[in-house]
Amino acid sequence: MPGLAPADSAGGGPDSVNGALVPYLPDSHVSAIYPLRHGLNPPISRVSVSWGRGNSLRVSVFRQPDSDGGEVGGKVVELTLGKSRDGEISDTQWRKIAYGSVSPFALLQSRKNSAASLSRMQLSPSPYHLEWWEYVMEYSKDISALLGDPKSVGAPLIEDPNEVFIKKSEEPSSLKAAWELMEMFYVDKLSQAWLPERLVDWLADYDSLISVDLPTVHSKLVEFQSKIVTLQVIEDDPRYWDLISSALAVGWLEIVVKLLRLHGSYRLDQLGRRETENGLVEAVAVLISKMPRMRPAIDAGKHGECFKAKPDFVKAWERWRAQITKLDSSAFWVQCDNRQTREGLKNVLQIMLGNVDVLCSATCHWMELYISHFLYIRPFTAGLESMYSLAQNCIRLKHTSNPHKLMRLMIGILGENNEVVLSECSRGFGTWMVAHAIELLTAGSNEADFLVHEERENLGGISLEELHRLVYAQLLSSHLLTWQIAPIYLTSCMRQGMGMLEILLLKQPVQENQVLLKNLEICRLYELDGVSSRLMEISGMYHWKHGRKGCAVFWLQQAQDEVRLSKIASQLFESVGKSISGESFKQWEGLIELLGSEGQPAGGLDFLHKYRDFKKCLQHADSKKDADAARQAVESLMSLMRNASTPQRFWLPILYDAVKLLSWDKRPLINVSQTNLLLNKLQELSLARLRPDFVEPELPTHALNHVRYSLATNLGRAILEES
């Protein structure tokens, strides 16, 4: 997954993450390396890189001219970025899986919590009711559909007679293969009776994945398909009969029948001379197509006769084997002149009769041999103990020094070793797999349920289930494109989940409002009021630091941070004190408006609201010479001067602004008692100026005398007006 989140966000969250059970790994993403196979001899003089179509990169490589003045050579190579290894999943697909699996996981956890609550009310020892596996099966099907559907493409309008291998519409993935394995063994109770047949289908879908590391029947089939058009007499090629035997051994009946009917005896010009040979080939093909299968149904286009009941299957099996034995001892073999056909068909019959040596030579690895035993030797194998014993025998016959990860997972499942299963899921298929597959593992096993839910002291008192969810959640958290879904998994962890969720939210950058709003929504969903307030405080501090004072005040108000709002008010007081009588009033008027209504002051901001009202009334009275507006300005002035929240250092600037009111032309607006109040304030201010810590406002030098003169004049006018 591309794009690691920064280790330290702008919010500067807590650094307690270093002490977490599973620490963040900021460099966990390893950059992809794409080999550039240009084929030019050194020295290379220049490389040019440009984008091609889609996600391809076009690289032009130029070499230096030879010493004898030869021409400059070069080559253009196109690289496809994001292309994953066969059977693996690209970053884009991983993100799709990560987001798509959230809903089924959350639904299953909700059902589990409801079932547990109901169980506690009924005093039942088990948190799950009898049909719990059905819920897990629904969950598994949703996840399986998300992982892809490697089905064959539809039949073409014009069928190629030489095409025996039908390509898949979507390449299979190891993750899907592993998920289906765990589903069929742990969850799907309805198909336990025909589990061997499900394994046959599973290998048919995913044998190509093992081809990456080991030779398989699938790789032999692909190789032969590419050369089939060059063969004149196909039955004379040993690879033809070898492929038929191998495909039959693993139960790919439709491919075997198609290969047999490519036999040269089916050609119209050969029927007359090779009638017996053709009859033998067709008889074998019919027997293969009529093979009894212990399963409820079979897909269209597949060969075999299905039987649901064991007695019916046994009768059909015995009758079918008797027909094979009869054909094997038939006198027609003597009349077949083609040695390769005779030996090849005899080998096919031995496979259907369950000859172990022939099956062993026809298969490529132990899982194919294992499947062949289910088909031709032990079709009634049931129970993990007997299946594991059979697997051990097949491994002894087909030992592999470096087994594929699907093989290791299969051995863990068959051996009923839950620790190995969890280990292989984690090692081979990643943290997503083990975090989600635990639900499958515990669906039908009390032992596995105890294993994953047991609280362990060496893990800090958490269980294996919680550990793997924490690991997966932290992997999601470390990427910018997936951190939003990590809370779903963290909140399912009872011990450390909520603490790590708080760390995750506090680690997110706050400079983007969309990210902050997403964090706040997560806090609301999980009732993290304290974290929500902390996030808003961090955001407010960040915006204030970067000069966005409006955003800062807004978020601090949302956080109800009285302390910081008071400090902001102090800084605003300083700013207001420098420009309170200047023309810059409009620059900070909007900020005062944002600070809230007068009925909801925060900190010491009540003064700023009152001063805003006073300034507006004063401007309105000065512009329109309106007596009513002037009287409102006087009321605002007196409210300011009587209010204890008005800082003393602002008294003189306010009185200096009020000179216009004191010298109103028509009649005095301020009466005697009000004027005496203002004179008293001015006297207190004169005494305060004697203190060494007093800060003089930025006003003209004559401001104090001008205010004193205006007050004295207004007092005389007011006395005359009232007398």
Side-chain angles (χ1 to χ4, degrees), residues 336-500:
C336 181
D337 298 330
N338 192 313
R339 181 181 60 83
Q340 289 88 346
T341 300
R342 186 171 61 251
E343 293 178 356
L345 292 177
K346 281 281 190 178
N347 204 52
V348 168
L349 293 179
Q350 289 301 308
I351 288 176
M352 291 191 288
L353 290 172
N355 189 310
V356 177
D357 294 333
V358 178
L359 288 172
C360 190
S361 61
T363 51
C364 299
H365 54 79
W366 74 263
M367 287 185 71
E368 292 178 348
L369 180 60
Y370 186 60
I371 296 301
S372 67
H373 274 72
F374 289 142
L375 287 169
Y376 305 109
I377 300 177
R378 299 172 61 177
F380 303 114
T381 303
L384 289 179
E385 184 176 353
S386 59
M387 294 178 74
Y388 180 67
S389 176
L390 175 59
Q392 292 295 327
N393 292 333
C394 294
I395 292 173
R396 187 168 56 253
L397 293 173
K398 287 282 188 181
H399 179 69
T400 303
S401 58
N402 186 24
H404 191 272
K405 56 187 177 182
L406 289 172
M407 294 180 173
R408 297 194 299 266
L409 178 61
M410 172 77 86
I411 287 298
I413 293 174
L414 294 176
E416 299 182 84
N417 194 329
N418 298 317
E419 291 91 342
V420 172
V421 173
L422 286 175
S423 175
E424 291 301 330
C425 285
S426 179
R427 181 176 67 163
F429 307 98
T431 57
W432 177 91
M433 177 67 177
V434 69
H436 292 81
I438 281 180
E439 302 296 343
L440 309 186
L441 182 64
T442 58
S445 171
N446 292 329
E447 179 184 352
D449 187 82
F450 177 78
L451 171 69
V452 301
H453 291 110
E454 180 187 9
E455 295 180 353
R456 301 168 184 263
E457 293 299 327
N458 60 334
L459 298 180
I462 66 174
S463 63
L464 284 177
E465 179 184 60
E466 182 166 342
L467 172 66
H468 289 297
R469 288 180 183 174
L470 290 175
V471 172
Y472 177 61
Q474 288 201 346
L475 177 65
L476 295 173
S477 304
S478 64
H479 294 84
L480 294 173
L481 299 176
T482 56
W483 72 266
Q484 298 94 331
I485 57 178
I488 300 294
Y489 298 90
L490 290 175
T491 52
S492 68
C493 302
M494 303 305 296
R495 287 297 187 97
Q496 296 193 9
M498 296 306 292
M500 292 185 67

Side-chain angles (χ1 to χ4, degrees), residues 227-290:
K227 299 178 179 179
I228 195 171
V229 294
T230 63
L231 300 177
Q232 298 294 328
V233 184
I234 192 171
E235 63 270 19
D236 291 343
D237 193 319
R239 293 173 299 180
Y240 171 71
W241 295 107
D242 179 60
L243 181 59
I244 287 177
S245 299
S246 297
L248 180 62
V250 294
W252 300 353
L253 306 185
E254 61 281 354
I255 292 178
V256 176
V257 171
K258 193 164 188 178
L259 283 170
L260 284 174
R261 286 174 177 160
L262 292 177
H263 194 274
S265 63
Y266 282 93
R267 293 170 54 184
L268 294 177
D269 58 342
Q270 300 288 325
L271 283 176
R273 295 184 292 108
R274 304 171 66 179
E275 185 176 355
T276 302
E277 181 181 356
N278 178 258
L280 290 171
V281 174
E282 181 62 22
V284 172
V286 171
L287 282 173
I288 292 172
S289 63
K290 298 297 183 181

Side-chain angles (χ1 to χ4, degrees), residues 575-633:
S575 176
V576 169
K578 295 177 182 180
S579 60
I580 195 166
S581 298
E583 297 297 330
S584 58
F585 172 74
K586 293 183 179 179
Q587 297 180 6
W588 51 266
E589 183 183 9
L591 185 58
I592 296 176
E593 185 72 31
L594 181 65
L595 289 173
S597 64
E598 189 174 2
Q600 296 178 343
L605 302 181
D606 188 29
F607 156 70
L608 294 178
H609 294 291
K610 292 181 180 298
Y611 180 74
R612 176 201 59 194
D613 297 339
F614 167 67
K615 197 74 173 180
K616 286 182 177 179
C617 293
L618 188 63
Q619 290 177 345
H620 186 66
D622 186 50
S623 62
K624 295 187 177 182
K625 303 300 180 179
D626 185 1
D628 292 336
R631 278 189 288 271
Q632 289 181 2

Side-chain angles (χ1 to χ4, degrees), residues 128-144:
Y128 310 126
H129 56 79
L130 295 177
E131 303 301 325
W132 174 250
W133 70 269
E134 295 181 356
Y135 290 133
V136 182
M137 189 65 188
E138 180 183 343
Y139 160 78
S140 179
K141 290 300 183 184
D142 291 339
I143 297 291
S144 184

